[in-house]
């Protein structure tokens, strides 16, 4: 028997779990250096300790871990919920992009569940959102197969789940894993979201697989509202109370029927994770355009390259090192981006920090075979002016020489949203 609920209340009375804290337990603190071996990688975990009745294992979307996640984790911690905020992108040396979920080992999910259970011996809840969900559901199914009858996974929370295949058909096709999921599920769905139209279909698919399903429609807000840089007043207000929605969902999941034995996939069912490409992965926008700092370094041919010589073109300045796996992973998509937009006036200046010319030359020839401009900064002189605080760090400069976008970390540069941002800059001065 399955259960499906749709909640549309504007406010919720929430009294789910014990919230007492020991005097010795730090509140508002995180062990940010923790790593856990999972899925053949060392996964960074920000652990927000609490002594309540439950632990929430939070997997980020294709946008990676944001400050908004940390704000919610601190609020949940204050409410007595221990949060494990995991970063599978860094742990598996993959960029923050939807396509990375296709390469992440599924074993990451069950390994982290068992690590959290072994450490805390408390009921576990899993939370995921957006395009992480096909990978996360498949990993949870793998956990169920390995731990039949286990009772320590109390349920799954989803926010704006992206669970259709992305195929161009008359009706959206759901991923096969949806009807193999029979954990209790609670869905938090922003009303101003393209995924809103699929909510009923997703509920029906989960119910068909044996899940008890609860859902809550969040009015007047968009996807990613709790970490959007362009959040509306309504979204900022919703962010302040979002942790209460999560706590309510966790409490509800403890009351829903729970099937311990996993569903059985029909012969020939293809459960390969194929995450539809995102259109909303984007670079961060500067509040106000500012003049780009000076940049002057030799390239691999020994010619001096000056940023000012590219005035009138749109430039991606990328700071990288060959020992940085995310840097390496994003370089092929950077090359494809320049290939696509070069004739429109787009160029890449990739500044290597701290390595000698021979090392870089061998790396380019043997590893990535790119032909965009590589600049040499062995003394890392650029750091003072450009604030390259992570590897990689990227900036996009418009035709007037002003900084417009930035990114600390890697990305899939051929994401639709990223291309649209750069095309807008190209069109400004065309």
């Amino acid at each position: 028997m399955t259960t499906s609920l749709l909640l549309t209340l504007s406010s919720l009375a929430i009294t789910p779990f014990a919230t007492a804290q020991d005097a010795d337990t730090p509140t508002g603190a995180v062990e940010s250096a923790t790593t856990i071996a999972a899925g053949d990688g060392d996964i960074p975990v920000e652990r927000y300790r609490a002594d309540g009745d439950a632990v929430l294992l939070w997997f980020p979307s294709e946008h990676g871990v944001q400050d908004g996640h940390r704000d919610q984790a601190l609020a949940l911690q204050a409410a007595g919920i221990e949060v494990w905020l995991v970063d599978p992108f860094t742990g598996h040396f993959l960029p923050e992009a939807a396509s990375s979920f296709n390469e992440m080992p599924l074993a990451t999910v069950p390994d982290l569940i068992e690590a959290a259970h072994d450490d805390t011996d408390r009921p576990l809840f899993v939370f995921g959102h957006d395009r992480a969900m096909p990978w996360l559901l498949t990993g949870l199914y793998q956990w169920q197969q390995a731990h039949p009858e286990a009772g320590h996974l109390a349920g799954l929370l989803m926010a704006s789940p992206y669970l259709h295949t992305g195929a161009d058909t008359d009706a959206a096709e759901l991923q096969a894993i949806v009807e193999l999921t029979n954990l209790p599920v609670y869905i938090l769905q922003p009303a101003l979201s393209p995924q809103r139209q699929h909510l009923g279909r997703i509920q029906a698919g989960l119910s068909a697989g044996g899940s008890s399903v609860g859902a809550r429609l969040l009015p007047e807000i968009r996807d990613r509202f709790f970490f959007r840089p362009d959040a509306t007043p309504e979204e900022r207000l919703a962010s302040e109370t979002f942790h209460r929605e999560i706590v309510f969902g966790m409490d509800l999941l403890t009351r829903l029927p729970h099937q311990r034995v996993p569903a059985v996939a029909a012969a020939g069912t293809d459960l390969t994770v194929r995450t539809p490409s995102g259109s909303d992965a984007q670079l961060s926008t500067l509040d106000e355009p500012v003049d780009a700092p000076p940049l002057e370094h030799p390239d691999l041919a020994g010619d001096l390259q000056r940023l000012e010589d590219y005035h009138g073109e749109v430039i991606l300045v990328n700071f990288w090192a060959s020992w940085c796996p995310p840097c390496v992973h994003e370089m092929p998509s950077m090359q494809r981006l320049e290939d696509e937009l070069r004739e429109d006036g787009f160029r890449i200046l990739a500044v290597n920090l701290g390595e000698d010319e021979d090392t870089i030359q061998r790396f380019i020839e043997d590893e990535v075979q790119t032909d965009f401009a590589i600049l040499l900064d062995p003394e890392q002189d650029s750091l003072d002016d450009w604030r390259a605080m992570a590897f990689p760090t990227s900036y996009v400069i418009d035709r007037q020489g002003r900084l417009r976008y930035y990114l600390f970390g890697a990305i899939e540069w051929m994401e639709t949203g990223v291309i649209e941002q750069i095309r807008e800059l190209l069109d400004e001065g065309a």
Side-chain angles (χ1 to χ4, degrees), residues 29-306:
V30 55
E31 296 178 354
S32 58
T34 301
T35 59
I36 294 175
D40 298 325
D42 292 324
I43 309 301
V45 176
E46 296 182 11
R47 182 173 175 180
Y48 297 75
R49 292 182 181 273
D51 284 342
D53 295 340
V55 176
L56 181 66
L57 193 60
W58 192 326
F59 292 86
S61 70
E62 65 274 19
H63 302 278
V65 177
Q66 303 281 334
D67 287 342
H69 292 91
R70 298 182 176 99
D71 293 340
Q72 299 302 322
L74 287 168
L76 288 164
Q77 181 191 51
I81 306 298
E82 180 161 323
V83 179
W84 288 33
L85 185 56
V86 306
D87 183 1
F89 297 100
T90 298
H92 293 305
F93 304 112
L94 292 168
E96 294 168 355
S99 58
S100 292
F101 290 113
N102 302 339
E103 303 179 44
M104 284 184 189
L106 291 171
T108 304
V109 178
D111 287 351
L112 286 169
I113 290 172
E114 290 309 294
H117 174 63
D118 291 344
D119 188 273
T120 66
D121 196 29
R122 282 178 276 172
L124 296 174
F125 297 82
V126 172
F127 187 20
H129 44 108
D130 298 278
R131 289 177 175 84
M133 291 314 305
W135 172 77
L136 183 54
L137 285 184
T138 310
L140 288 168
Y141 182 67
Q142 189 179 86
W143 174 85
Q144 284 187 289
Q145 291 178 310
H147 301 86
E149 306 287 350
H152 51 275
L153 181 57
L156 169 66
L157 296 98
M158 306 178 184
S160 198
Y162 198 102
L163 285 169
H164 52 84
T165 63
D168 186 12
T169 57
D170 291 337
E173 298 177 356
L174 294 182
Q175 305 248 1
I177 191 61
V178 173
E179 294 192 4
L180 289 173
T181 299
N182 62 11
L183 296 167
V185 175
Y186 185 62
I187 303 173
L188 290 159
Q189 180 58 62
L192 304 181
S193 162
Q195 304 314 309
R196 166 67 180 89
Q197 62 184 311
H198 304 299
L199 177 58
R201 189 175 294 108
I202 290 171
Q203 286 181 276
L206 291 166
S207 295
S211 284
S212 300
V213 187
R216 163 111 161 100
L217 198 60
L218 305 177
E220 299 183 345
I221 59 175
R222 299 169 292 172
D223 294 333
R224 312 183 312 281
F225 66 95
F226 60 94
F227 63 85
R228 294 187 75 105
D230 62 343
T232 65
E234 292 80 10
E235 289 166 346
R236 288 193 290 272
L237 181 61
S239 296
E240 294 177 3
T241 58
F242 187 44
H243 69 284
R244 299 180 187 173
E245 304 280 1
I246 296 171
V247 174
F248 176 85
M250 294 169 65
D251 186 44
L252 179 65
L253 288 172
T254 65
R255 306 171 193 275
L256 294 177
H258 194 147
Q259 298 194 38
R260 302 296 181 190
V261 179
V264 178
T269 302
D270 184 3
L271 293 180
T272 303
V273 177
R274 298 185 180 90
T275 307
S277 178
S279 60
D280 54 1
Q282 291 189 323
L283 309 173
S284 298
T285 305
L286 270 74
D287 293 335
E288 294 290 339
V290 297
D291 290 341
L295 187 70
E296 184 175 307
H297 294 289
D299 60 21
L300 287 172
D303 297 326
L304 191 63
Q305 299 284 342
R306 300 179 181 86

